[in-house]
Amino acid sequence: MNIGIIGSGNMGSALGSIWAKHGHQVIFSYSRDPAKLDAIAAAAGANARVGTPREAAESSDVLMLTLQPFVLEAVLSTIGSLEGKVVITCMSGLKPDFSSQTIGIATDLKLSVAEQLAQLAPGAKVVEAFNITFAEILASESRQFGNESPTVFYCGDDADAKAIAARLIQDCGYDAIDAGGLMVARSLETLATAWVQFAVTSGLFPNLGLKALRR
């Protein structure tokens, strides 16, 4: 699968590196430091390369957006139409100091970041995923906690896009659980805020994983 990473910070570089090592063709893009971007791609191996956000979008079947929400509209304006593309987002409105959300608590009157993305990129098959895990866990040798695999919830309105997202979640070593339609991103983004804040205030950050138990 061809995957474009737009936003190659800690989260994007960790996800892209895992997928490249699983045999996917990955393009890393959008970093303030071109040398760092080259180093990320080199470390990810032969299946990874560097490109512009437009190249990542045009050359890929799946896009992973790991951006700050305040740059989303500007970045999308540089890459053209995403119609028909699977676009996975883990973007969060959480402030950098983890104190609160920049977008407020999600309600029926306030769209999630994922829903805002869907509005800004008409025709894109948007899936919310990876917002309840940490880049440090992704960058580690294993996502396992003893014998347990942590859970990643995902949601979206396109069944095929969700199936692709589930496979990519599983490639990363997580238990993938379908949480429903894209509107559920309002709840997942709020849960992610609480999860991050709990991890930080408890002193367990980043060595913490969420597990949904089944009976």
Side-chain angles (χ1 to χ4, degrees):
M1 191 176 298
N2 296 316
I3 302 173
I5 307 293
I6 301 182
S8 298
N10 292 339
M11 197 76 175
S13 61
L15 285 167
S17 296
I18 292 171
W19 290 329
K21 290 169 185 175
H22 272 79
H24 301 290
Q25 300 299 310
V26 176
I27 299 177
F28 290 99
S29 72
Y30 198 75
S31 172
R32 296 189 184 93
D33 185 347
K36 179 182 176 183
L37 201 59
D38 289 337
I40 290 167
N47 292 327
R49 63 185 178 92
V50 169
T52 66
R54 178 176 284 275
E55 289 170 338
E58 291 177 346
S59 302
S60 299
D61 309 303
V62 178
L63 285 179
M64 181 76 223
L65 300 189
T66 59
L67 300 165
Q68 292 294 329
F70 66 86
V71 304
L72 176 60
E73 191 167 1
V75 172
L76 289 177
S77 71
T78 70
I79 62 180
S81 173
L82 296 179
E83 185 170 0
K85 298 278 186 181
V86 176
V87 182
I88 305 174
T89 168
C90 66
M91 290 184 293
S92 170
L94 192 64
K95 290 181 178 178
D97 64 358
F98 306 131
S99 62
S100 63
Q101 291 198 100
T102 58
I103 59 171
I105 298 300
T107 69
D108 287 342
L109 300 177
K110 185 173 286 293
L111 297 179
S112 64
V113 178
E115 290 173 299
Q116 292 175 43
L117 168 59
Q119 286 191 346
L120 291 169
K125 302 173 182 180
V126 177
V127 179
E128 171 85 39
F130 293 108
N131 63 353
I132 310 177
T133 189
F134 300 121
E136 291 84 353
I137 300 297
L138 285 162
S140 64
E141 292 185 4
S142 171
R143 264 56 65 196
Q144 290 290 111
F145 285 74
N147 295 322
E148 297 285 353
S149 298
T151 296
V152 164
F153 296 105
Y154 63 97
C155 67
D157 292 334
D158 186 279
D160 291 337
K162 287 166 71 175
I164 290 171
R167 290 198 296 272
L168 292 174
I169 291 167
Q170 291 162 354
D171 280 351
C172 292
Y174 292 93
D175 177 28
I177 294 185
D178 186 345
L182 192 63
M183 191 175 75
V184 178
R186 303 176 192 184
S187 299
L188 288 184
E189 289 176 10
T190 301
L191 173 60
T193 296
W195 180 247
V196 172
Q197 289 175 328
F198 169 73
V200 172
T201 58
S202 67
L204 295 172
F205 175 84
N207 297 309
L208 195 65
L210 181 67
K211 180 68 176 179
L213 301 177
R214 297 175 174 86
R215 295 190 68 177

